[in-house]
């Protein structure tokens, strides 16, 4: 499966207890992603949507993957699920390399049919827009029953019972009647609940929620987040929440991974990321988040510029054209050398050329007071 | 739902009324202004003024236009009598009048032609839907491959080649050269083998044209649908690709195909003019051509009305079918 030529800049992370280099024995973590790369050949060049991403996740924990549009968040989840080539017909297939270990099994080199059998059963996914993610011509019940019966050899009746049970669990009133409704007969929040019911119907151990609240009203968002949190406690699954909304990860995540240009720029426990972030991009994300406890006349601080092209990532640190501190490190190091993830404190990694003391000083003196 | 159907049927009736009036005016009123007289058309080579006057009386051509129209409508519903003194001709309902040329009632000629067109359209329809949709799906799933290019090239040729070209080529090869097909069209209840034999080439010729369109439509729809979020959801459930395509993608592909199919069939039932002419099939299209050539106004009027009826009904069926196919469409 290692179809990509070695680029010689794999993010090797040597910290104890962290991800080891590719080709090593199976990991102990429930989910472990090693040096994941997903590249899409296009007419304009190779789009490196994910380019060397590694992380691990235990059962019962929630990982928040945060980043702008086009930072590779969604492609990461599709790569894990084996859906990165979905919908691609013809000659130009996505290229994937690296390792994805789920419960002791490596998925990328595995037989696609074996991965298919894991999909929906051991790993399930909640999508962004439940209206477009549910088939408009089939009833909610039928779609859940189908998801259940792919992996369970049961009759329609007991599968339907299971569907009603799940709809009840996710808080849909009169589930025995609503089970026969079509998606368009549900409100947005109800649809997302139904989507969650469908994802949970087989008790998956890994649940990936890709922007689960982006398409919903703010009031409904909170309900859905509560629901996901409760269900995780109940089912004990590992959860990956993909979002551009730091508020969502603040609600749910134990750990946070910040992506930029297809790579991880910062990773660590949620409280570390929120209270002692170590990367200028993370500062930017925090600065552009509205706060209700602040004076409304204070302006948000946006991250200047626009996300980089994934075909031609900037040399050196991919963030340097937008980084206000790109010229702080000596020489042209930010423009020539790609920074590797370095451990700041235990479990907290950051890929930045700024010396750690300087980062701490900028954060505590310049950034934090303005937030 | 029932109320909707009734309302729609009423609308169809109104529509047909308008078509009838328009056609009636075109055929029976405009010529008069232009100095031509339908009575002469009916009389043919007779130019005896007394005979012409007799015809005019009998057909009621000297009555006011509205009276004529009313009589015509009455004839459709209840039948009518044409009288000229002691000369009485009964025309039972639905009375479309008498052919100018053959002096036969129009309605039996129509009822004879309808099954031919129906056979032609139905058979061709099965061929083109099966062939076109299958080719379109495979093309979409193998986009960019040799198969896709080949199928779409054939489809382009199919759309571009007129029936009187492909039909004549087919006739030249299979009928004149190979002599596989011979004889006249026979109704299915009389001689099924002959029926099948004479219709096979027309079916294929007609189907080729439509299959090409349906293949392109199916391909485009399928490509669009395969990129839909709900297809990704289906895959995320762990469904086999066969099920993803067969159950989820195909379900959505049928909607535009059905829409187009209803309209095409409706139009085709009004007479597949070129195909029927090329293969000398005595269907509605052929009848239309013959009646136009013979300036046979009542027959033209009859064919026009039947064609309009088929198109209106096809439209109604498509609209009703839409509600069946797509649960988001609410009728009422």
């Amino acid at each position: 499966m290692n179809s990509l030529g070695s680029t010689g800049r794999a993010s090797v992370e040597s910290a104890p207890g962290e991800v080891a280099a590719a080709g090593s024995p199976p990991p102990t973590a429930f989910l472990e992603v090693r040096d994941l790369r997903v590249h899409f050949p296009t007419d304009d060049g190779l789009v490196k949507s994910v380019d060397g991403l590694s992380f691990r996740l235990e059962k019962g924990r929630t990982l928040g993957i945060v980043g702008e549009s086009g930072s590779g968040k969604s492609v990461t989840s599709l790569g894990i699920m084996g859906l990165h080539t979905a919908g691609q017909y013809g000659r130009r297939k996505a290229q994937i390399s690296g390792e994805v270990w789920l419960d002791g099994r490596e998925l990328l080199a595995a037989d696609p049919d074996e991965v298919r059998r894991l999909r929906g059963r051991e790993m399930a996914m909640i999508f962004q827009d439940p209206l477009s993610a549910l088939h408009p011509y089939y009833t909610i019940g039928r779609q859940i029953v189908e998801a259940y019966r792919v992996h369970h050899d049961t009759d329609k009746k007991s599968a339907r019972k299971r569907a009603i049970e799940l709809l009840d669990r996710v808080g849909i009133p009169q589930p025995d009647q609503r089970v026969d409704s079509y998606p368009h007969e549900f409100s947005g929040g109800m649809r997302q609940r139904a989507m969650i019911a469908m994802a949970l119907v087989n008790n998956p151990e890994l649940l990936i929620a890709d922007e689960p609240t982006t398409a919903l009203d703010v009031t409904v968002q909170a309900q859905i987040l509560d629901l996901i949190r409760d269900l995780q406690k109940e089912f004990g699954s590992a959860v990956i929440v993909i979002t551009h909304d730091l508020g969502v990860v603040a609600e749910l995540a134990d750990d946070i991974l910040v992506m930029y240009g297809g790579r991880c720029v910062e990773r660590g426990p949620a409280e570390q990321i929120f209270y002692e972030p170590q990367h200028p991009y993370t500062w930017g994300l925090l600065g552009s988040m509205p706060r209700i406890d602040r004076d409304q006349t204070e302006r948000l601080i946006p991250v200047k510029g626009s996300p980089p092209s994934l075909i031609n990532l900037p040399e050196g640190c991919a963030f340097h054209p937008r980084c206000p501190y790109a010229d702080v490190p000596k020489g042209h190091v930010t423009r020539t050398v790609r920074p590797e993830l370095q451990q700041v404190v235990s479990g907290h990694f950051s890929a930045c050329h700024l010396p750690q003391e300087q980062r701490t000083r900028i954060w505590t003196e310049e950034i934090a007071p303005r937030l | 739902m029932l109320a909707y159907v009734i309302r729609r049927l009423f609308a169809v009736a109104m529509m047909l009324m308008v078509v009838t009036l328009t056609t009636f005016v075109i055929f029976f009123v405009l010529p008069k202004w232009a100095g031509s007289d339908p009575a002469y058309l009916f009389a043919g080579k007779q130019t005896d003024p007394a005979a012409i006057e007799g015809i005019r009386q009998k057909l009621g051509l000297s009555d006011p236009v509205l009276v004529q129209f009313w009589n015509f409508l009455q004839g459709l519903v209840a039948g009518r009598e044409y009288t000229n003194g002691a000369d009485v001709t009964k025309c039972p309902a639905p009375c479309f009048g008498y052919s100018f040329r053959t002096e036969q009632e129009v309605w039996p000629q129509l009822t004879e032609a309808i099954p031919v067109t129906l056979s032609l359209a139905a058979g061709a329809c099965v061929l083109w839907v099966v062939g076109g949709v299958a080719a379109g799906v495979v093309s979409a799933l193998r986009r960019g491959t040799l198969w896709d290019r080949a199928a779409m090239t054939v489809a382009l040729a199919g759309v571009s080649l007129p029936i009187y070209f492909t039909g004549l080529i087919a006739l030249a090869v299979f009928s004149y050269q190979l002599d596989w097909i011979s004889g006249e069209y026979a109704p299915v209840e009389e001689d099924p083998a002959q029926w099948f034999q004479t219709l096979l080439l027309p079916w294929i010729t007609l189907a080729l044209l439509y299959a090409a369109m349906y293949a392109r439509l199916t391909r485009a729809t399928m490509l669009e649908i395969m990129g839909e979020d709900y297809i990704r959801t289906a895959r995320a459930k762990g469904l086999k690709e066969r099920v993803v395509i067969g159950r989820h993608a195909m379900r959505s592909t049928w909607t535009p195909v059905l829409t187009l199919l209803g309209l095409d069939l409706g139009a085709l039932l009004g007479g597949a003019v070129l195909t029927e002419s090329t293969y000398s099939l005595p269907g509605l299209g052929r009848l239309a051509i013959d009646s136009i050539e013979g300036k046979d106004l009542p027959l033209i009027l009859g064919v026009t009305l039947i064609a309009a009826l088929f198109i209106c009904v096809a439209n109604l069926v498509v609209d009703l079918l839409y509600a069946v196919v797509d649960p988001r469409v609410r009728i009422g």
Side-chain angles (χ1 to χ4, degrees):
Chain A
M1 264 315 233
N2 283 297
S3 53
L4 294 178
S6 173
T7 49
R9 42 181 177 74
S11 72
V12 178
E13 299 164 18
S14 49
E18 271 301 321
V19 175
S24 56
T28 47
F30 174 66
L31 172 71
E32 187 160 329
V33 173
R34 294 175 181 171
D35 197 30
L36 180 70
R37 286 160 202 265
V38 188
H39 296 178
F40 298 95
T42 67
D43 285 337
D44 301 323
L46 195 62
V47 176
K48 297 178 177 173
S49 292
V50 181
D51 200 27
L53 186 72
S54 304
F55 64 86
R56 52 195 297 173
L57 178 63
E58 296 294 349
K59 270 198 206 175
R61 303 277 290 179
T62 299
L63 172 71
I65 300 184
V66 190
E68 292 166 296
S69 312
S71 60
K73 308 171 301 227
S74 292
V75 176
T76 301
S77 62
L78 293 176
I80 295 172
M81 295 280 290
L83 292 173
H84 53 285
T85 54
Q88 289 192 314
Y89 291 99
R91 290 162 299 148
R92 283 183 166 167
K93 293 257 185 194
Q95 306 163 353
I96 191 164
S97 71
E99 290 170 52
V100 173
W101 292 87
L102 180 75
D103 208 8
R105 271 166 303 204
E106 205 288 310
L107 302 184
L108 294 192
D111 174 27
D113 204 51
E114 196 181 315
V115 180
R116 176 187 66 74
R117 275 191 288 265
L118 293 176
R119 266 204 300 272
R121 194 184 62 196
E122 296 214 5
M123 47 185 184
M125 209 163 164
I126 302 167
F127 294 102
Q128 175 172 349
D129 181 359
L131 181 59
S132 58
L134 290 166
H135 201 298
Y137 296 167
Y138 292 123
T139 62
I140 297 285
R142 182 160 176 194
Q143 297 187 51
I144 300 178
V145 163
E146 182 183 45
Y148 189 61
R149 292 186 72 204
V150 191
H151 303 294
H152 291 85
D153 189 19
T154 55
D155 57 304
K156 281 185 181 165
K157 211 174 153 194
S158 54
R160 185 184 155 88
K161 231 179 90 187
R162 171 84 182 150
I164 294 172
E165 183 188 310
L166 257 295
L167 287 177
D168 189 38
R169 177 62 199 87
V170 298
I172 287 179
Q174 297 170 306
D176 48 335
Q177 283 161 38
R178 299 316 297 269
V179 71
D180 294 319
S181 301
Y182 287 96
H184 70 273
E185 296 168 328
F186 274 28
S187 68
M190 298 268 273
R191 275 196 285 269
Q192 193 58 289
R193 285 171 193 270
M195 190 82 215
I196 293 173
M198 191 160 89
L200 292 178
V201 75
N202 295 309
N203 290 329
E205 294 179 302
L206 172 65
L207 181 66
I208 303 177
D210 187 357
E211 305 263 4
T213 57
T214 306
L216 303 177
D217 289 348
V218 183
T219 48
V220 181
Q221 285 185 4
Q223 295 169 9
I224 295 293
L225 293 180
D226 282 346
L227 178 66
I228 294 176
R229 191 174 36 223
D230 291 350
L231 290 170
Q232 182 190 27
K233 273 192 197 128
E234 187 181 323
F235 289 79
S237 5
V239 175
I240 297 177
V241 179
I242 291 164
T243 181
H244 64 273
D245 184 349
L246 280 171
V248 170
V249 289
E251 283 281 321
L252 292 178
D254 303 306
D255 299 289
I256 293 174
L257 190 156
V258 182
M259 280 188 84
Y260 188 82
R263 296 168 68 94
C264 170
V265 293
E266 185 166 14
R267 188 178 79 218
E271 57 275 22
Q272 286 271 326
I273 302 291
F274 274 103
Y275 296 112
E276 287 167 50
Q278 293 285 334
H279 196 283
Y281 179 60
T282 317
W283 301 341
L285 287 180
L286 289 165
S288 49
M289 186 170 67
R291 293 271 300 262
I292 194 71
D293 53 348
R294 290 293 162 138
D295 191 340
Q296 285 182 2
T297 56
E298 281 181 37
R299 304 198 63 133
L300 295 175
I301 312 147
V303 182
K304 290 203 168 54
S306 45
S309 152
L310 293 171
I311 295 174
N312 284 311
L313 269 187
E315 287 283 304
C317 175
F319 186 60
H320 85 257
R322 303 170 72 187
C323 181
Y325 310 101
D327 293 320
V328 175
K330 292 246 156 46
H332 293 294
V333 63
T334 56
R335 286 171 175 77
T336 51
V337 182
R338 176 153 290 172
E340 300 295 343
L341 280 173
Q342 304 277 336
Q343 184 154 243
V344 188
V345 290
S346 175
H348 186 178
F349 295 81
S350 168
C352 180
H353 285 304
L354 282 172
Q356 198 186 329
E357 315 79 66
Q358 249 169 338
R359 279 192 307 232
T360 313
R361 187 191 58 76
I362 293 171
W363 167 251
T364 48
E365 292 175 12
E366 292 180 25
I367 313 288
R370 288 189 312 191
L371 290 183
Chain B
M1 179 75 178
L2 187 68
Y4 174 79
V5 174
I6 291 169
R7 212 161 61 228
R8 280 298 301 266
L9 282 176
F10 184 72
V12 167
M14 290 305 296
M15 185 59 144
L16 289 178
M17 191 84 103
V18 171
V19 172
T20 313
L21 182 62
T22 313
T23 330
F24 195 87
V25 167
I26 291 174
F27 289 161
F28 288 94
V29 180
L30 286 188
K32 234 175 209 171
W33 294 345
S36 160
D37 188 340
Y40 282 98
L41 287 175
F42 189 85
K45 284 184 177 154
Q46 276 183 23
T47 42
D48 175 13
I52 299 277
E53 187 51 36
I55 290 166
R56 192 174 285 138
Q57 281 302 322
K58 192 169 176 185
L59 296 183
L61 292 173
S62 47
D63 292 339
V65 178
L66 277 179
V67 175
Q68 284 189 52
F69 184 60
W70 174 251
N71 286 337
F72 179 75
L73 286 184
Q74 221 172 11
L76 279 182
V77 180
R80 66 189 281 196
E81 285 178 356
Y82 293 97
T83 48
N84 181 26
D87 176 12
V88 177
T89 314
K90 266 196 185 286
C91 175
C95 175
F96 284 82
Y98 278 83
S99 160
F100 283 180
R101 215 169 31 152
T102 59
E103 301 195 17
Q104 300 290 311
E105 277 177 51
V106 168
W107 177 241
Q109 298 187 52
L110 292 176
T111 51
E112 228 168 83
I114 289 172
V116 181
T117 301
L118 207 64
S119 304
L120 175 64
C125 171
V126 171
L127 282 183
W128 90 57
V129 169
V130 171
V133 170
V137 167
V138 176
S139 264
L141 298 183
R142 311 210 167 161
R143 175 159 75 157
T145 61
L146 195 64
W147 160 268
D148 178 28
R149 277 150 211 248
M152 284 306 117
T153 308
V154 171
L156 183 64
V159 173
S160 318
L161 293 176
I163 281 179
Y164 47 80
F165 177 74
T166 49
L168 288 179
I169 297 278
L171 269 181
V173 173
F174 295 104
S175 193
Y176 302 128
Q177 294 288 323
L178 300 171
D179 205 20
W180 286 357
I181 291 143
S182 57
E184 292 276 299
Y185 171 84
V188 63
E189 64 272 15
E190 277 174 28
D191 187 350
Q194 181 66 15
W195 175 81
F196 186 82
Q197 195 203 23
T198 45
L199 278 175
L200 193 60
L201 274 189
W203 280 339
I204 294 172
T205 312
L206 194 56
L208 187 67
L209 173 72
Y210 282 92
M213 284 192 284
Y214 280 68
R216 297 183 81 86
L217 174 77
T218 307
R219 179 180 182 273
T221 312
M222 192 78 180
L223 281 178
E224 193 189 314
I225 286 165
M226 291 311 281
E228 290 283 347
D229 285 355
Y230 57 81
I231 295 299
R232 190 182 56 190
T233 309
R235 290 206 179 93
K237 286 178 182 179
L239 294 175
K240 287 187 180 134
E241 193 63 13
R242 189 164 42 79
V243 182
V244 171
I245 292 163
R247 196 183 293 160
H248 289 254
M250 281 312 290
R251 180 71 175 75
S252 310
T253 309
W254 280 119
T255 313
V257 170
L258 273 182
T259 310
L260 192 62
L261 185 63
L263 301 178
D264 280 344
L265 259 188
L268 207 51
L269 286 176
V273 174
L274 291 178
T275 313
E276 288 173 15
S277 301
T278 308
Y279 289 99
S280 305
L281 294 170
L284 279 174
R286 185 74 191 287
L287 201 58
I289 295 280
D290 288 352
S291 59
I292 290 167
E293 278 175 353
K295 294 184 185 160
D296 199 343
L297 298 185
L299 201 52
I300 301 178
L301 186 59
V303 173
T304 309
L305 276 184
I306 291 295
L309 175 72
F310 277 132
I311 290 172
C312 284
V313 170
N315 266 303
L316 177 60
V317 170
V318 165
D319 284 354
L320 293 179
L321 219 56
Y322 231 92
V324 177
V325 174
D326 188 343
R328 287 172 299 182
V329 175
R330 279 286 155 264
I331 271 179

